[in-house]
Each structure stands twice: as C-alpha cells, then as structure tokens.
Amino acid sequence: MSSATPAPRARNRPGEGGRLRDDIVDAADALLADAGSAARLSLRAIAREVGITAPAIYAHFSTKEQLLSAVVARRFGGLAQALQDARPSGSADDETIAAIAIVRARTGAYVAYGLEYPGVYAALFGPDADHLGFTFEGSPGEEVFAALLDPVSIALGDRADALAVATDLWVAMHGIVTLRSSQRGFVWGDLDAQLDRVVGALLAAAPTR
C-alpha cells in the first residue's frame, strides 16, 4: 500500500453510503493482508487509505472489532469458495473414488491459497490470529472446514471417523503452508507429489470407529 496521504474523499451522493462501507472493508482487508494480524490495524490507518476521517467509520461500524469481523468473515468466505470451486482433473463413476479426488483437489486449493496470500493466511490461522469473538459453530471458518469434511465423510463411508481424519488433513495442510512459507531454502520437492502422499496416507490409515 502507498504511504502517501490520499486526497480527501468526495462526499457520497444520497444512497451511496453502502459504497463507502464497502470501501472501508476493502481498505481494512488490504491492510490486514499486509499486517498479517487484526491486532496491528488501526482505524486511523484504515481511514487514511479510504480518504476519510477515523470518526466517519463509526457511521458504518460501531467498533473496530465489528469492522475487522466483517473483514475476517469475507476472507474465510473467499477461502471456502476457493475450496468449493476446486475440481478434480478427471471424473469417476465410483462415489468413493470421486470423493477422494475432491478431497485432493480441495487440499490443493487450500495450500495454494495459503501460499499465494501469506499475510491473509497468517491473519486467519497464524499465531496472532484474532477471530474477534467468533466461535467455531456457525462461523465463517466452519464453512471452510465443511468443504473438507464433507468429501472426507463420503470417501471414508462408515469405516472411520471422518472428523478426526479431516482434522488431521487440516493440520497437515497448515504445516505445509507454514513451513513452505517460512523455510523457503529447504529442499521441499514437488508440492503436488507431497499432497498426493499426505492425502493418500491419511485416508488409507484412517482409524476405525
């Protein structure tokens, strides 16, 4: 983001208040991606990016936490959509094989998102992540996890605990994103091959109920 002070924003015409709200969320979103933590953002910095005064934000968000909650929800929604949009390269008539292919495609999409947007990923899942009062059930993060859990459940059927396996896959994906981002000098090898091994091993070794 530019460090220059932006020109004052022109007043919205009547009925355009929603556009300003979107601009505020956009600015906070961009700054969050750079900062990697909601705790590092200030309303003053967000207002400066939009070209308004900090008090003007309160016409749309009663607290800083409410604004940042909107940004976190948007980012979780974007990640969930990326997983939902991931498609296997081929097709299969067998339901189990098709579900395994979806699991593999979605784990790949998750890792790709984390590696492409490291600041955003850190804000969502890093050590300083602040989900601003969201609990898991009913949260935007639950939609991300469901995109993985649902095909895992189909792939495993009744032979294993799908929740445990999906959780193990999430742990593995987080490790891949975190280590590949922080230890770039290591000889990681091919990412797709690594994901093939991890997904295949975890699904094959799933503990029985």
Side-chain angles (χ1 to χ4, degrees):
M1 305 298 293
S2 172
S3 59
T5 302
R9 178 191 173 91
R11 285 181 176 272
N12 285 324
R13 293 190 296 271
E16 291 187 340
R19 189 181 72 180
L20 175 55
R21 184 185 190 280
D22 290 341
D23 289 347
I24 292 169
V25 175
D26 288 343
D29 188 30
L31 288 170
L32 180 64
D34 289 339
S37 170
R40 298 174 187 169
L41 296 188
S42 69
L43 289 181
R44 183 173 296 178
I46 295 167
R48 186 165 55 245
E49 286 295 321
V50 182
I52 59 176
T53 62
I57 294 176
Y58 289 110
H60 302 273
F61 300 95
S62 59
T63 64
K64 172 187 173 182
E65 288 71 25
Q66 188 182 75
L67 167 57
L68 295 180
S69 291
V71 176
V72 169
R74 175 195 280 189
R75 283 298 187 173
F76 270 119
L79 177 55
Q81 191 62 55
L83 267 62
Q84 292 286 355
D85 291 344
R87 295 288 183 271
S89 55
S91 60
D93 295 329
D94 182 271
E95 184 181 48
T96 299
I97 294 175
I100 292 172
I102 292 173
V103 172
R104 175 61 185 82
R106 291 182 179 179
T107 54
Y110 181 101
V111 170
Y113 186 97
L115 294 176
E116 184 175 356
Y117 305 108
V120 173
Y121 188 84
L124 295 181
F125 301 111
D128 296 324
D130 182 356
H131 294 165
L132 304 161
F134 284 129
T135 56
F136 177 70
E137 291 187 2
S139 73
E142 185 178 24
E143 185 180 0
V144 175
F145 190 70
L148 181 63
L149 176 60
D150 291 347
V152 167
S153 299
I154 297 171
L156 295 177
D158 293 330
R159 76 176 177 86
D161 184 346
L163 177 60
V165 175
T167 301
D168 290 346
L169 279 169
W170 181 29
V171 170
M173 291 186 297
H174 180 72
I176 290 172
V177 171
T178 303
L179 286 172
R180 281 181 175 261
S181 296
S182 64
Q183 306 297 322
R184 297 182 182 276
F186 187 72
V187 285
W188 289 111
D190 183 72
L191 176 58
D192 286 332
Q194 184 178 48
L195 284 169
D196 287 342
R197 292 192 301 271
V198 169
V199 173
L202 286 173
L203 292 179
T208 58
R209 290 184 181 275

